[in-house]
Amino acid sequence: MAGSTSDPPGGSASGARAAWPDVPPPVLRAWDEAEARLFPLVMAQPDLYQQAVTAIQRLIGRLRESCPDLPALLAAHEHGA
């Protein structure tokens, strides 16, 4: 369940830290901020939102091939991959 209005879209910040204890807080914040920028498109520009979701799905596929575990994902995040 989502947290208060100050919490990230996926729930509370402390909940994210509890779910991903090995992910550094700045990385979690960056992921939450990216997600928060995407959500307003749902209502304002649904076609653009759909394009973004499609691009994210492609990115997820690429990351699953190149990042078999959390350390690899964090390394890719650090290098901007």
Side-chain angles (χ1 to χ4, degrees), residues 1-16 19 35:
M1 179 183 214
S4 71
T5 57
S6 63
D7 290 336
S12 72
S14 62
E35 182 182 26

Side-chain angles (χ1 to χ4, degrees), residues 7-68:
D7 290 336
S12 72
S14 62
R17 281 190 299 278
W20 299 98
D22 297 331
V23 178
V27 174
L28 285 176
R29 277 193 300 278
W31 293 347
D32 286 340
E33 289 167 4
E35 182 182 26
R37 286 190 304 271
L38 183 61
F39 278 118
L41 292 177
V42 174
M43 298 300 285
Q45 299 179 357
D47 292 340
L48 185 56
Y49 175 78
Q50 183 58 49
Q51 290 174 13
V53 168
T54 300
I56 290 166
Q57 288 172 335
R58 280 189 238 129
L59 175 61
I60 288 169
R62 187 174 139 217
L63 287 172
R64 285 184 175 146
E65 292 173 0
S66 62
C67 300

